Amino acid sequence: MLSVKLNISRRRLNELSSTDSDSEYCKYWVEWFTYAEGNEYFCDVDEEYILDRFNLTNLSNDVPNYLQALEMITDRLPEKALSNEERDQVERSARYLYGLIHARYIITTQGLKKMLDKFKRGDFGRCPRVYCHQNPLLPVGITDVPSQKGVKLYCCRCEDIYNPKSRRHNMIDGAFFGTSFPHMLLQVYPALKPAPSEQRYVPRIFGFKLHAIAELHRWQDEQREEQKKRLGISSPT
């Protein structure tokens, strides 16, 4: 049933993308954005949330063409035609504004529920670490400041972060998800957090574990060589 719904929505997206009508183009903006290739990590933000100006506090100072971008997101852009250049500018601002709103929305009760559904489906991918056994990932930002770092993927089993596999996902601003989202989701739904993996990879040579003393000696040798380089002393041949 889910695949059928997605196929219908994607067909609808193709219809919207191919139309030349300004009114039709704006009519389904959020649907168009969330189903566009590369935006799979985003959920759809409820219109009621976007229209509540309290939820948008201070965003007008950070987003160029703020009012037009908001009108585009909420399907209220005036019917008058925009030039191609103006449309491109408003579109960029709308994407940026939606991302900032999205970061706030996904830590609300309704937003957490929507992201929970995506997490359960594995929409964000699965942990590449062997001993995490395909544990589903969650998007996270390593800073809340926009345009600084791309989104990362957090594994709640090994508690580490990874780069998305897809280049288009690597281009998503991490601030559109924020630093708190995955941890808040796990606080609200503690049953989601699996027990930490006790399995660890142990380096071996011919079946024997590498001795801690050998590792220490290797580190000492590396430090000695770095010190020689700093002092300009060449190693004997």
Side-chain angles (χ1 to χ4, degrees), residues 213-232:
I213 296 298
E215 185 176 350
L216 175 61
H217 288 170
R218 185 168 60 251
W219 179 82
Q220 290 173 334
D221 290 341
E222 291 173 354
Q223 294 299 309
R224 189 179 299 111
E225 289 301 318
E226 290 182 6
Q227 184 69 15
K228 287 180 179 179
K229 289 179 181 179
R230 286 195 292 267
L231 297 175

mmCIF file with all atom_site columns, all heavy atoms in Angstrom, residues 213-232:
data_model
loop_
_atom_site.group_PDB
_atom_site.id
_atom_site.type_symbol
_atom_site.label_atom_id
_atom_site.label_alt_id
_atom_site.label_comp_id
_atom_site.label_asym_id
_atom_site.label_entity_id
_atom_site.label_seq_id
_atom_site.pdbx_PDB_ins_code
_atom_site.Cartn_x
_atom_site.Cartn_y
_atom_site.Cartn_z
_atom_site.occupancy
_atom_site.B_iso_or_equiv
_atom_site.pdbx_formal_charge
_atom_site.auth_seq_id
_atom_site.auth_comp_id
_atom_site.auth_asym_id
_atom_site.auth_atom_id
_atom_site.pdbx_PDB_model_num
ATOM 1   N N   . ILE A 1 213 ? 51.617 -3.770 24.035 1.00 0.00 ? 213 ILE A N   1
ATOM 2   C CA  . ILE A 1 213 ? 52.986 -3.239 24.079 1.00 0.00 ? 213 ILE A CA  1
ATOM 3   C C   . ILE A 1 213 ? 53.476 -2.928 22.666 1.00 0.00 ? 213 ILE A C   1
ATOM 4   O O   . ILE A 1 213 ? 54.131 -1.901 22.426 1.00 0.00 ? 213 ILE A O   1
ATOM 5   C CB  . ILE A 1 213 ? 53.938 -4.241 24.761 1.00 0.00 ? 213 ILE A CB  1
ATOM 6   C CG1 . ILE A 1 213 ? 53.530 -4.428 26.224 1.00 0.00 ? 213 ILE A CG1 1
ATOM 7   C CG2 . ILE A 1 213 ? 55.386 -3.749 24.666 1.00 0.00 ? 213 ILE A CG2 1
ATOM 8   C CD1 . ILE A 1 213 ? 53.606 -3.161 27.053 1.00 0.00 ? 213 ILE A CD1 1
ATOM 9   N N   . ALA A 1 214 ? 53.136 -3.791 21.720 1.00 0.00 ? 214 ALA A N   1
ATOM 10  C CA  . ALA A 1 214 ? 53.535 -3.550 20.334 1.00 0.00 ? 214 ALA A CA  1
ATOM 11  C C   . ALA A 1 214 ? 52.890 -2.273 19.815 1.00 0.00 ? 214 ALA A C   1
ATOM 12  O O   . ALA A 1 214 ? 53.515 -1.491 19.093 1.00 0.00 ? 214 ALA A O   1
ATOM 13  C CB  . ALA A 1 214 ? 53.142 -4.741 19.462 1.00 0.00 ? 214 ALA A CB  1
ATOM 14  N N   . GLU A 1 215 ? 51.633 -2.049 20.181 1.00 0.00 ? 215 GLU A N   1
ATOM 15  C CA  . GLU A 1 215 ? 50.946 -0.822 19.774 1.00 0.00 ? 215 GLU A CA  1
ATOM 16  C C   . GLU A 1 215 ? 51.614 0.402  20.383 1.00 0.00 ? 215 GLU A C   1
ATOM 17  O O   . GLU A 1 215 ? 51.783 1.431  19.726 1.00 0.00 ? 215 GLU A O   1
ATOM 18  C CB  . GLU A 1 215 ? 49.485 -0.890 20.202 1.00 0.00 ? 215 GLU A CB  1
ATOM 19  C CG  . GLU A 1 215 ? 48.659 0.276  19.714 1.00 0.00 ? 215 GLU A CG  1
ATOM 20  C CD  . GLU A 1 215 ? 47.198 0.146  20.073 1.00 0.00 ? 215 GLU A CD  1
ATOM 21  O OE1 . GLU A 1 215 ? 46.788 -0.933 20.533 1.00 0.00 ? 215 GLU A OE1 1
ATOM 22  O OE2 . GLU A 1 215 ? 46.454 1.140  19.884 1.00 0.00 ? 215 GLU A OE2 1
ATOM 23  N N   . LEU A 1 216 ? 52.027 0.291  21.649 1.00 0.00 ? 216 LEU A N   1
ATOM 24  C CA  . LEU A 1 216 ? 52.721 1.387  22.309 1.00 0.00 ? 216 LEU A CA  1
ATOM 25  C C   . LEU A 1 216 ? 54.054 1.678  21.626 1.00 0.00 ? 216 LEU A C   1
ATOM 26  O O   . LEU A 1 216 ? 54.404 2.838  21.391 1.00 0.00 ? 216 LEU A O   1
ATOM 27  C CB  . LEU A 1 216 ? 52.941 1.059  23.787 1.00 0.00 ? 216 LEU A CB  1
ATOM 28  C CG  . LEU A 1 216 ? 53.768 2.070  24.601 1.00 0.00 ? 216 LEU A CG  1
ATOM 29  C CD1 . LEU A 1 216 ? 53.076 3.430  24.606 1.00 0.00 ? 216 LEU A CD1 1
ATOM 30  C CD2 . LEU A 1 216 ? 53.981 1.573  26.021 1.00 0.00 ? 216 LEU A CD2 1
ATOM 31  N N   . HIS A 1 217 ? 54.798 0.613  21.282 1.00 0.00 ? 217 HIS A N   1
ATOM 32  C CA  . HIS A 1 217 ? 56.080 0.790  20.602 1.00 0.00 ? 217 HIS A CA  1
ATOM 33  C C   . HIS A 1 217 ? 55.897 1.468  19.245 1.00 0.00 ? 217 HIS A C   1
ATOM 34  O O   . HIS A 1 217 ? 56.717 2.318  18.854 1.00 0.00 ? 217 HIS A O   1
ATOM 35  C CB  . HIS A 1 217 ? 56.762 -0.570 20.421 1.00 0.00 ? 217 HIS A CB  1
ATOM 36  C CG  . HIS A 1 217 ? 57.291 -1.141 21.708 1.00 0.00 ? 217 HIS A CG  1
ATOM 37  N ND1 . HIS A 1 217 ? 57.760 -2.436 21.812 1.00 0.00 ? 217 HIS A ND1 1
ATOM 38  C CD2 . HIS A 1 217 ? 57.419 -0.599 22.950 1.00 0.00 ? 217 HIS A CD2 1
ATOM 39  C CE1 . HIS A 1 217 ? 58.167 -2.673 23.041 1.00 0.00 ? 217 HIS A CE1 1
ATOM 40  N NE2 . HIS A 1 217 ? 57.950 -1.562 23.762 1.00 0.00 ? 217 HIS A NE2 1
ATOM 41  N N   . ARG A 1 218 ? 54.854 1.077  18.534 1.00 0.00 ? 218 ARG A N   1
ATOM 42  C CA  . ARG A 1 218 ? 54.590 1.693  17.236 1.00 0.00 ? 218 ARG A CA  1
ATOM 43  C C   . ARG A 1 218 ? 54.300 3.184  17.407 1.00 0.00 ? 218 ARG A C   1
ATOM 44  O O   . ARG A 1 218 ? 54.777 4.012  16.636 1.00 0.00 ? 218 ARG A O   1
ATOM 45  C CB  . ARG A 1 218 ? 53.404 0.984  16.564 1.00 0.00 ? 218 ARG A CB  1
ATOM 46  C CG  . ARG A 1 218 ? 53.125 1.478  15.154 1.00 0.00 ? 218 ARG A CG  1
ATOM 47  C CD  . ARG A 1 218 ? 52.155 0.568  14.401 1.00 0.00 ? 218 ARG A CD  1
ATOM 48  N NE  . ARG A 1 218 ? 50.875 0.475  15.067 1.00 0.00 ? 218 ARG A NE  1
ATOM 49  C CZ  . ARG A 1 218 ? 50.434 -0.609 15.694 1.00 0.00 ? 218 ARG A CZ  1
ATOM 50  N NH1 . ARG A 1 218 ? 51.192 -1.700 15.779 1.00 0.00 ? 218 ARG A NH1 1
ATOM 51  N NH2 . ARG A 1 218 ? 49.241 -0.617 16.265 1.00 0.00 ? 218 ARG A NH2 1
ATOM 52  N N   . TRP A 1 219 ? 53.510 3.529  18.414 1.00 0.00 ? 219 TRP A N   1
ATOM 53  C CA  . TRP A 1 219 ? 53.210 4.941  18.680 1.00 0.00 ? 219 TRP A CA  1
ATOM 54  C C   . TRP A 1 219 ? 54.483 5.703  19.042 1.00 0.00 ? 219 TRP A C   1
ATOM 55  O O   . TRP A 1 219 ? 54.699 6.826  18.578 1.00 0.00 ? 219 TRP A O   1
ATOM 56  C CB  . TRP A 1 219 ? 52.199 5.038  19.821 1.00 0.00 ? 219 TRP A CB  1
ATOM 57  C CG  . TRP A 1 219 ? 51.848 6.455  20.191 1.00 0.00 ? 219 TRP A CG  1
ATOM 58  C CD1 . TRP A 1 219 ? 50.952 7.264  19.585 1.00 0.00 ? 219 TRP A CD1 1
ATOM 59  C CD2 . TRP A 1 219 ? 52.428 7.221  21.255 1.00 0.00 ? 219 TRP A CD2 1
ATOM 60  N NE1 . TRP A 1 219 ? 50.906 8.490  20.194 1.00 0.00 ? 219 TRP A NE1 1
ATOM 61  C CE2 . TRP A 1 219 ? 51.806 8.496  21.230 1.00 0.00 ? 219 TRP A CE2 1
ATOM 62  C CE3 . TRP A 1 219 ? 53.383 6.957  22.227 1.00 0.00 ? 219 TRP A CE3 1
ATOM 63  C CZ2 . TRP A 1 219 ? 52.133 9.494  22.133 1.00 0.00 ? 219 TRP A CZ2 1
ATOM 64  C CZ3 . TRP A 1 219 ? 53.710 7.953  23.138 1.00 0.00 ? 219 TRP A CZ3 1
ATOM 65  C CH2 . TRP A 1 219 ? 53.090 9.213  23.082 1.00 0.00 ? 219 TRP A CH2 1
ATOM 66  N N   . GLN A 1 220 ? 55.346 5.090  19.861 1.00 0.00 ? 220 GLN A N   1
ATOM 67  C CA  . GLN A 1 220 ? 56.607 5.745  20.250 1.00 0.00 ? 220 GLN A CA  1
ATOM 68  C C   . GLN A 1 220 ? 57.503 5.976  19.035 1.00 0.00 ? 220 GLN A C   1
ATOM 69  O O   . GLN A 1 220 ? 58.143 7.031  18.914 1.00 0.00 ? 220 GLN A O   1
ATOM 70  C CB  . GLN A 1 220 ? 57.329 4.902  21.292 1.00 0.00 ? 220 GLN A CB  1
ATOM 71  C CG  . GLN A 1 220 ? 56.643 4.888  22.653 1.00 0.00 ? 220 GLN A CG  1
ATOM 72  C CD  . GLN A 1 220 ? 57.292 3.917  23.627 1.00 0.00 ? 220 GLN A CD  1
ATOM 73  O OE1 . GLN A 1 220 ? 57.920 2.932  23.227 1.00 0.00 ? 220 GLN A OE1 1
ATOM 74  N NE2 . GLN A 1 220 ? 57.137 4.202  24.920 1.00 0.00 ? 220 GLN A NE2 1
ATOM 75  N N   . ASP A 1 221 ? 57.558 5.011  18.126 1.00 0.00 ? 221 ASP A N   1
ATOM 76  C CA  . ASP A 1 221 ? 58.356 5.161  16.912 1.00 0.00 ? 221 ASP A CA  1
ATOM 77  C C   . ASP A 1 221 ? 57.829 6.307  16.053 1.00 0.00 ? 221 ASP A C   1
ATOM 78  O O   . ASP A 1 221 ? 58.613 7.109  15.508 1.00 0.00 ? 221 ASP A O   1
ATOM 79  C CB  . ASP A 1 221 ? 58.341 3.864  16.102 1.00 0.00 ? 221 ASP A CB  1
ATOM 80  C CG  . ASP A 1 221 ? 59.128 2.749  16.779 1.00 0.00 ? 221 ASP A CG  1
ATOM 81  O OD1 . ASP A 1 221 ? 59.965 3.072  17.661 1.00 0.00 ? 221 ASP A OD1 1
ATOM 82  O OD2 . ASP A 1 221 ? 58.889 1.574  16.445 1.00 0.00 ? 221 ASP A OD2 1
ATOM 83  N N   . GLU A 1 222 ? 56.506 6.406  15.942 1.00 0.00 ? 222 GLU A N   1
ATOM 84  C CA  . GLU A 1 222 ? 55.915 7.482  15.151 1.00 0.00 ? 222 GLU A CA  1
ATOM 85  C C   . GLU A 1 222 ? 56.219 8.841  15.769 1.00 0.00 ? 222 GLU A C   1
ATOM 86  O O   . GLU A 1 222 ? 56.550 9.800  15.053 1.00 0.00 ? 222 GLU A O   1
ATOM 87  C CB  . GLU A 1 222 ? 54.400 7.276  15.049 1.00 0.00 ? 222 GLU A CB  1
ATOM 88  C CG  . GLU A 1 222 ? 54.004 6.068  14.205 1.00 0.00 ? 222 GLU A CG  1
ATOM 89  C CD  . GLU A 1 222 ? 52.513 5.791  14.269 1.00 0.00 ? 222 GLU A CD  1
ATOM 90  O OE1 . GLU A 1 222 ? 51.825 6.486  15.059 1.00 0.00 ? 222 GLU A OE1 1
ATOM 91  O OE2 . GLU A 1 222 ? 52.025 4.904  13.542 1.00 0.00 ? 222 GLU A OE2 1
ATOM 92  N N   . GLN A 1 223 ? 56.130 8.936  17.087 1.00 0.00 ? 223 GLN A N   1
ATOM 93  C CA  . GLN A 1 223 ? 56.435 10.191 17.760 1.00 0.00 ? 223 GLN A CA  1
ATOM 94  C C   . GLN A 1 223 ? 57.901 10.564 17.602 1.00 0.00 ? 223 GLN A C   1
ATOM 95  O O   . GLN A 1 223 ? 58.244 11.741 17.419 1.00 0.00 ? 223 GLN A O   1
ATOM 96  C CB  . GLN A 1 223 ? 56.073 10.092 19.252 1.00 0.00 ? 223 GLN A CB  1
ATOM 97  C CG  . GLN A 1 223 ? 54.594 9.934  19.544 1.00 0.00 ? 223 GLN A CG  1
ATOM 98  C CD  . GLN A 1 223 ? 53.784 11.116 19.039 1.00 0.00 ? 223 GLN A CD  1
ATOM 99  O OE1 . GLN A 1 223 ? 54.114 12.264 19.318 1.00 0.00 ? 223 GLN A OE1 1
ATOM 100 N NE2 . GLN A 1 223 ? 52.730 10.837 18.282 1.00 0.00 ? 223 GLN A NE2 1
ATOM 101 N N   . ARG A 1 224 ? 58.766 9.562  17.640 1.00 0.00 ? 224 ARG A N   1
ATOM 102 C CA  . ARG A 1 224 ? 60.207 9.813  17.479 1.00 0.00 ? 224 ARG A CA  1
ATOM 103 C C   . ARG A 1 224 ? 60.511 10.352 16.091 1.00 0.00 ? 224 ARG A C   1
ATOM 104 O O   . ARG A 1 224 ? 61.296 11.298 15.936 1.00 0.00 ? 224 ARG A O   1
ATOM 105 C CB  . ARG A 1 224 ? 60.980 8.513  17.735 1.00 0.00 ? 224 ARG A CB  1
ATOM 106 C CG  . ARG A 1 224 ? 62.499 8.707  17.806 1.00 0.00 ? 224 ARG A CG  1
ATOM 107 C CD  . ARG A 1 224 ? 63.225 7.406  18.092 1.00 0.00 ? 224 ARG A CD  1
ATOM 108 N NE  . ARG A 1 224 ? 62.799 6.854  19.382 1.00 0.00 ? 224 ARG A NE  1
ATOM 109 C CZ  . ARG A 1 224 ? 62.075 5.741  19.522 1.00 0.00 ? 224 ARG A CZ  1
ATOM 110 N NH1 . ARG A 1 224 ? 61.685 5.064  18.436 1.00 0.00 ? 224 ARG A NH1 1
ATOM 111 N NH2 . ARG A 1 224 ? 61.739 5.308  20.710 1.00 0.00 ? 224 ARG A NH2 1
ATOM 112 N N   . GLU A 1 225 ? 59.860 9.774  15.075 1.00 0.00 ? 225 GLU A N   1
ATOM 113 C CA  . GLU A 1 225 ? 60.094 10.231 13.704 1.00 0.00 ? 225 GLU A CA  1
ATOM 114 C C   . GLU A 1 225 ? 59.559 11.647 13.498 1.00 0.00 ? 225 GLU A C   1
ATOM 115 O O   . GLU A 1 225 ? 60.204 12.460 12.826 1.00 0.00 ? 225 GLU A O   1
ATOM 116 C CB  . GLU A 1 225 ? 59.418 9.272  12.718 1.00 0.00 ? 225 GLU A CB  1
ATOM 117 C CG  . GLU A 1 225 ? 60.085 7.912  12.608 1.00 0.00 ? 225 GLU A CG  1
ATOM 118 C CD  . GLU A 1 225 ? 61.524 8.015  12.162 1.00 0.00 ? 225 GLU A CD  1
ATOM 119 O OE1 . GLU A 1 225 ? 61.821 8.818  11.241 1.00 0.00 ? 225 GLU A OE1 1
ATOM 120 O OE2 . GLU A 1 225 ? 62.375 7.306  12.733 1.00 0.00 ? 225 GLU A OE2 1
ATOM 121 N N   . GLU A 1 226 ? 58.412 11.960 14.096 1.00 0.00 ? 226 GLU A N   1
ATOM 122 C CA  . GLU A 1 226 ? 57.867 13.310 13.985 1.00 0.00 ? 226 GLU A CA  1
ATOM 123 C C   . GLU A 1 226 ? 58.773 14.327 14.666 1.00 0.00 ? 226 GLU A C   1
ATOM 124 O O   . GLU A 1 226 ? 58.969 15.436 14.165 1.00 0.00 ? 226 GLU A O   1
ATOM 125 C CB  . GLU A 1 226 ? 56.462 13.369 14.596 1.00 0.00 ? 226 GLU A CB  1
ATOM 126 C CG  . GLU A 1 226 ? 55.411 12.633 13.777 1.00 0.00 ? 226 GLU A CG  1
ATOM 127 C CD  . GLU A 1 226 ? 54.030 12.757 14.383 1.00 0.00 ? 226 GLU A CD  1
ATOM 128 O OE1 . GLU A 1 226 ? 53.886 13.520 15.370 1.00 0.00 ? 226 GLU A OE1 1
ATOM 129 O OE2 . GLU A 1 226 ? 53.097 12.096 13.888 1.00 0.00 ? 226 GLU A OE2 1
ATOM 130 N N   . GLN A 1 227 ? 59.350 13.946 15.806 1.00 0.00 ? 227 GLN A N   1
ATOM 131 C CA  . GLN A 1 227 ? 60.263 14.846 16.512 1.00 0.00 ? 227 GLN A CA  1
ATOM 132 C C   . GLN A 1 227 ? 61.517 15.113 15.684 1.00 0.00 ? 227 GLN A C   1
ATOM 133 O O   . GLN A 1 227 ? 62.028 16.246 15.631 1.00 0.00 ? 227 GLN A O   1
ATOM 134 C CB  . GLN A 1 227 ? 60.632 14.229 17.871 1.00 0.00 ? 227 GLN A CB  1
ATOM 135 C CG  . GLN A 1 227 ? 61.516 15.118 18.739 1.00 0.00 ? 227 GLN A CG  1
ATOM 136 C CD  . GLN A 1 227 ? 60.781 16.342 19.239 1.00 0.00 ? 227 GLN A CD  1
ATOM 137 O OE1 . GLN A 1 227 ? 59.559 16.403 19.172 1.00 0.00 ? 227 GLN A OE1 1
ATOM 138 N NE2 . GLN A 1 227 ? 61.510 17.329 19.720 1.00 0.00 ? 227 GLN A NE2 1
ATOM 139 N N   . LYS A 1 228 ? 62.022 14.073 15.015 1.00 0.00 ? 228 LYS A N   1
ATOM 140 C CA  . LYS A 1 228 ? 63.205 14.237 14.171 1.00 0.00 ? 228 LYS A CA  1
ATOM 141 C C   . LYS A 1 228 ? 62.920 15.188 13.014 1.00 0.00 ? 228 LYS A C   1
ATOM 142 O O   . LYS A 1 228 ? 63.769 16.018 12.642 1.00 0.00 ? 228 LYS A O   1
ATOM 143 C CB  . LYS A 1 228 ? 63.650 12.883 13.624 1.00 0.00 ? 228 LYS A CB  1
ATOM 144 C CG  . LYS A 1 228 ? 64.308 11.989 14.671 1.00 0.00 ? 228 LYS A CG  1
ATOM 145 C CD  . LYS A 1 228 ? 64.723 10.662 14.043 1.00 0.00 ? 228 LYS A CD  1
ATOM 146 C CE  . LYS A 1 228 ? 65.408 9.745  15.057 1.00 0.00 ? 228 LYS A CE  1
ATOM 147 N NZ  . LYS A 1 228 ? 65.800 8.445  14.464 1.00 0.00 ? 228 LYS A NZ  1
ATOM 148 N N   . LYS A 1 229 ? 61.726 15.057 12.441 1.00 0.00 ? 229 LYS A N   1
ATOM 149 C CA  . LYS A 1 229 ? 61.363 15.944 11.337 1.00 0.00 ? 229 LYS A CA  1
ATOM 150 C C   . LYS A 1 229 ? 61.295 17.387 11.800 1.00 0.00 ? 229 LYS A C   1
ATOM 151 O O   . LYS A 1 229 ? 61.729 18.294 11.086 1.00 0.00 ? 229 LYS A O   1
ATOM 152 C CB  . LYS A 1 229 ? 60.012 15.506 10.754 1.00 0.00 ? 229 LYS A CB  1
ATOM 153 C CG  . LYS A 1 229 ? 60.071 14.196 9.987  1.00 0.00 ? 229 LYS A CG  1
ATOM 154 C CD  . LYS A 1 229 ? 58.693 13.833 9.466  1.00 0.00 ? 229 LYS A CD  1
ATOM 155 C CE  . LYS A 1 229 ? 58.722 12.511 8.711  1.00 0.00 ? 229 LYS A CE  1
ATOM 156 N NZ  . LYS A 1 229 ? 57.374 12.130 8.209  1.00 0.00 ? 229 LYS A NZ  1
ATOM 157 N N   . ARG A 1 230 ? 60.735 17.609 12.977 1.00 0.00 ? 230 ARG A N   1
ATOM 158 C CA  . ARG A 1 230 ? 60.655 18.966 13.484 1.00 0.00 ? 230 ARG A CA  1
ATOM 159 C C   . ARG A 1 230 ? 62.033 19.554 13.747 1.00 0.00 ? 230 ARG A C   1
ATOM 160 O O   . ARG A 1 230 ? 62.260 20.770 13.588 1.00 0.00 ? 230 ARG A O   1
ATOM 161 C CB  . ARG A 1 230 ? 59.813 18.996 14.772 1.00 0.00 ? 230 ARG A CB  1
ATOM 162 C CG  . ARG A 1 230 ? 58.314 18.822 14.532 1.00 0.00 ? 230 ARG A CG  1
ATOM 163 C CD  . ARG A 1 230 ? 57.528 19.232 15.771 1.00 0.00 ? 230 ARG A CD  1
ATOM 164 N NE  . ARG A 1 230 ? 57.763 18.307 16.857 1.00 0.00 ? 230 ARG A NE  1
ATOM 165 C CZ  . ARG A 1 230 ? 56.993 17.237 17.123 1.00 0.00 ? 230 ARG A CZ  1
ATOM 166 N NH1 . ARG A 1 230 ? 55.967 16.960 16.308 1.00 0.00 ? 230 ARG A NH1 1
ATOM 167 N NH2 . ARG A 1 230 ? 57.259 16.457 18.136 1.00 0.00 ? 230 ARG A NH2 1
ATOM 168 N N   . LEU A 1 231 ? 62.987 18.703 14.168 1.00 0.00 ? 231 LEU A N   1
ATOM 169 C CA  . LEU A 1 231 ? 64.343 19.172 14.469 1.00 0.00 ? 231 LEU A CA  1
ATOM 170 C C   . LEU A 1 231 ? 65.253 19.156 13.253 1.00 0.00 ? 231 LEU A C   1
ATOM 171 O O   . LEU A 1 231 ? 66.416 19.579 13.327 1.00 0.00 ? 231 LEU A O   1
ATOM 172 C CB  . LEU A 1 231 ? 64.962 18.314 15.580 1.00 0.00 ? 231 LEU A CB  1
ATOM 173 C CG  . LEU A 1 231 ? 64.239 18.382 16.939 1.00 0.00 ? 231 LEU A CG  1
ATOM 174 C CD1 . LEU A 1 231 ? 64.873 17.391 17.918 1.00 0.00 ? 231 LEU A CD1 1
ATOM 175 C CD2 . LEU A 1 231 ? 64.298 19.795 17.510 1.00 0.00 ? 231 LEU A CD2 1
ATOM 176 N N   . GLY A 1 232 ? 64.743 18.639 12.146 1.00 0.00 ? 232 GLY A N   1
ATOM 177 C CA  . GLY A 1 232 ? 65.557 18.583 10.925 1.00 0.00 ? 232 GLY A CA  1
ATOM 178 C C   . GLY A 1 232 ? 66.590 17.496 10.935 1.00 0.00 ? 232 GLY A C   1
ATOM 179 O O   . GLY A 1 232 ? 67.596 17.563 10.219 1.00 0.00 ? 232 GLY A O   1
#
